[in-house]
Amino acid sequence: MKIKISSKTHVQPNKPILGKKQFQLTTFDLPYLAFYYNQKFLLYKFENLLDLEEPTFQNNVVEKLKDSLGSVLEDFYQLAGKLAKDEDGVFRVEYDADEEEINGVEFSVADAVDISVDDLTAEDGTAQFKELVPYNGILNLEGLRRPLLAVQVTKLKDGLAMGLAFNHAVLDGTATWHFMSSWAEICRGAQTISTQPFLDRAKARDTRVKLDLASPKDPNASSNGDAAAEPPQLVEKVFKFSDSAIHTIKSRANSVVPSDGSKPFSTFQSLTSHIWRHVTLARGLKPEDITVFTVFADCRRRVDPPMPEEYFGNMIQAIFTGTAAGLLAAHGPEFGAAVVQKAIVAHDARVVDARNEEWEKAPKIFQFKDAGVNCVAVGSSPRFKVYEVDFGWGKPETVRSGSNNRFNGMMYLYPGKAGGVSIDVEITLEARVMEKLEKSKEFLLIDVEEDGNKITNGNGHGHGHGHGHGHANGNGFA
């Protein structure tokens, strides 16, 4: 792929933010310091190809994006700052208008005019757009000396690719998409954003945690126990579950009325347990082998008092549960859904606080192996309105996560572009396991008879190869 970077600048808030602004990172933020920047990839097709000709592209697209970014940074100025730490090793995010040389969002413009939008959606892996997304393999801890957000806008043959890298120690998926929708709003012509970010991190958790992170380990290191063992080759795929397929999965999970009077299973619980069960089957585990299910859940509404939806920062916690592979295999879909539901319901304000207190006594920086043995882990959320991020040239053709923060069993959920309750599932697995999953008609819901109607779930084919890095980029929702 021929990509030429034509310019790289730093975008500051359009109006100066007076004084030095400092916000201590919270216990919800700190575990992600030694993970990678959280990458997003949005692809736009231009109806009017004249918009891609110069100087129109520079004036109407690039300058408009930069000016609206400068405007939205007046509200989200933490993203224009940097990480810092005091002499005790307590981390903070700070913005100081007087230190311009290390402030601002990195904004690169590139050309790949031989590449079309369709070329970049032809297969499911991240390899084909890796060069279109900045900060591959960059740890969040590097926010001490580099921008907290990097943007790369690449002009294509028939559209535009936008690659972004957000420092995950500073914000989670909910805050990421609040920022993206606000930036798009300004770019489309709004004078002010419709929803202001809530910036006071101390309201989420006000505890000084001292960390010694002089030389963080690569979270990929020995993530499968023996560092000398050759790691299995991982492949990536996007499974697109249609509206009708989701309804089928949910109705099957709810076909057995629970005896304990618990609530019906949600779409999230039904779908993720369906995936957990079929990945476990494809892995060919022994019946007694434990398999762990992990969801990175939004805690804004779980804490007491609740935090506002527009809270800017991380408010996620990993919820862990597990069972024996044989039990998942022997029972119907309602069994796995009940295991997932119980864990999610139990994670209330008391549990959230206890987890934070436990972590503060013995801080532990996450590594991939911490997600659990034979795990399936869930990040992002189909509730994020990713297809409504319209900068003025239409909705995105596709929205994906970048190559950072992927590991064996990690999946990211996005709403399907088709709308309804359709959901796209990005998942990273060992090649042999993925091959079995791709052939499983029960998993894919291919040619399933449901109430006399044939349901065919259209799943894209092809998958990308490559070793991933990994942790969840957002919030699993119940």
Side-chain angles (χ1 to χ4, degrees):
M1 190 186 289
K2 283 186 190 165
I3 297 173
K4 183 177 155 230
I5 302 271
S6 54
S7 70
K8 189 181 282 191
T9 54
H10 285 77
V11 177
Q12 308 281 353
N14 288 346
K15 290 180 188 155
I17 312 292
L18 298 175
K20 193 179 209 177
K21 309 286 187 188
Q22 297 184 327
F23 300 87
Q24 188 176 292
L25 292 187
T26 74
T27 313
F28 291 104
D29 299 312
L30 294 169
Y32 310 112
L33 275 168
F35 273 69
Y36 298 92
Y37 271 69
N38 184 13
Q39 296 173 313
K40 299 286 159 225
F41 179 70
L42 294 86
L43 205 50
Y44 294 89
K45 192 174 262 189
F46 280 27
E47 292 299 319
N48 184 2
L49 294 183
L50 292 175
D51 286 341
L52 292 165
E53 293 183 4
E54 297 296 358
T56 310
F57 182 76
Q58 182 64 32
N59 296 335
N60 291 5
V61 177
V62 173
E63 292 307 322
K64 209 170 173 185
L65 278 171
K66 283 168 79 169
D67 187 59
S68 55
L69 176 58
S71 178
V72 81
L73 285 174
E74 293 169 27
D75 298 304
F76 291 88
Y77 58 82
Q78 288 185 25
L79 275 179
K82 64 181 179 67
L83 294 183
K85 60 177 177 174
D86 65 19
E87 60 282 358
D88 291 331
V90 176
F91 279 79
R92 64 184 183 272
V93 57
E94 70 177 25
Y95 179 82
D96 186 352
D98 294 333
E99 293 188 19
E100 277 210 11
E101 72 282 358
I102 50 171
N103 275 335
V105 169
E106 185 179 298
F107 192 97
S108 304
V109 182
D111 289 320
V113 289
D114 298 333
I115 309 291
S116 71
V117 168
D118 289 346
D119 291 336
L120 293 170
T121 53
E123 62 169 79
D124 290 329
T126 51
Q128 77 275 20
F129 59 78
K130 192 168 182 176
E131 293 173 68
L132 303 174
V133 186
Y135 287 14
N136 291 298
I138 300 295
L139 294 170
N140 293 312
L141 191 60
E142 293 199 34
L144 288 165
R145 53 193 161 268
R146 25 168 117 224
L148 302 178
L149 169 59
V151 180
Q152 182 178 320
V153 173
T154 305
K155 179 164 70 169
L156 307 172
K157 188 190 289 183
D158 56 353
L160 175 149
M162 182 182 276
L164 306 107
F166 292 86
N167 190 299
H168 205 335
V170 174
L171 76 168
D172 61 13
T174 298
T176 293
W177 293 107
H178 177 200
F179 167 79
M180 290 297 291
S181 60
S182 301
W183 179 12
E185 207 176 5
I186 297 289
C187 198
R188 287 197 310 272
Q191 294 303 301
T192 55
I193 61 174
S194 53
T195 309
Q196 287 288 327
F198 183 91
L199 298 173
D200 187 359
R201 290 174 191 257
K203 290 282 193 294
R205 190 88 181 162
D206 194 9
T207 311
R208 278 175 61 82
V209 182
K210 300 173 183 181
L211 292 178
D212 178 17
L213 281 179
S215 53
K217 287 180 184 171
D218 183 327
N220 269 327
S222 64
S223 58
N224 277 321
D226 182 7
E230 182 64 30
Q233 185 188 22
L234 300 179
V235 296
E236 303 154 4
K237 183 166 173 63
V238 182
F239 291 102
K240 297 175 185 291
F241 287 92
S242 65
D243 189 275
S244 60
I246 295 291
H247 282 299
T248 300
I249 289 168
K250 189 173 179 181
S251 66
R252 283 179 176 178
N254 285 294
S255 62
V256 179
V257 179
S259 55
D260 61 0
S262 54
K263 285 184 180 175
F265 302 120
S266 67
T267 297
F268 176 86
Q269 292 157 9
S270 304
L271 176 64
T272 56
S273 58
H274 173 80
I275 297 164
W276 182 27
R277 181 171 184 267
H278 284 282
V279 167
T280 300
L281 289 169
R283 281 172 168 163
L285 302 177
K286 293 175 190 158
E288 66 273 19
D289 286 345
I290 295 299
T291 169
V292 171
F293 178 89
T294 305
V295 51
F296 293 90
D298 185 12
C299 295
R300 285 169 177 75
R301 290 282 174 266
R302 293 177 192 276
V303 292
D304 185 20
M307 290 298 289
E309 188 67 17
E310 55 275 12
Y311 172 77
F312 184 83
N314 284 290
M315 278 290 287
I316 51 176
Q317 264 187 359
I319 298 175
F320 302 97
T321 189
T323 190
L327 290 175
L328 270 186
H331 292 85
E334 71 284 350
F335 177 83
V339 174
V340 171
Q341 185 187 61
K342 280 193 181 87
I344 287 170
V345 170
H347 205 84
D348 57 14
R350 188 182 53 77
V351 175
V352 171
D353 281 346
R355 175 78 68 80
N356 281 334
E357 285 165 16
E358 179 189 8
W359 194 90
E360 286 156 8
K361 284 178 191 152
K364 181 175 168 51
I365 301 303
F366 283 166
Q367 288 183 273
F368 304 160
K369 64 183 178 186
D370 298 329
V373 64
N374 300 317
C375 87
V376 168
V378 191
S380 193
S381 168
R383 292 187 186 180
F384 296 153
K385 295 179 170 61
V386 301
Y387 285 103
E388 291 178 24
V389 179
D390 177 358
F391 290 93
W393 39 82
K395 295 181 177 183
E397 289 294 307
T398 192
V399 178
R400 296 284 309 279
S401 304
S403 60
N404 281 356
N405 298 327
R406 292 176 181 270
F407 61 95
N408 189 357
M410 185 68 223
M411 66 170 154
Y412 297 106
L413 305 185
Y414 288 101
K417 187 161 188 273
V421 292
S422 63
I423 293 174
D424 290 351
V425 178
E426 291 182 359
I427 190 162
T428 303
L429 294 166
E430 289 180 55
R432 63 172 184 84
V433 176
M434 189 73 84
E435 197 178 335
K436 284 186 192 167
L437 207 59
E438 287 177 303
K439 290 174 180 169
S440 168
K441 290 188 175 182
E442 195 186 342
F443 172 67
L444 299 172
L445 277 76
I446 292 174
D447 298 338
V448 174
E449 296 291 335
E450 182 79 15
D451 298 330
N453 298 315
K454 186 179 274 191
I455 291 173
T456 301
N457 182 39
N459 270 294
H461 293 287
H463 52 247
H465 295 261
H467 294 283
H469 303 300
H471 158 65
N473 67 329
N475 314 311
F477 286 86

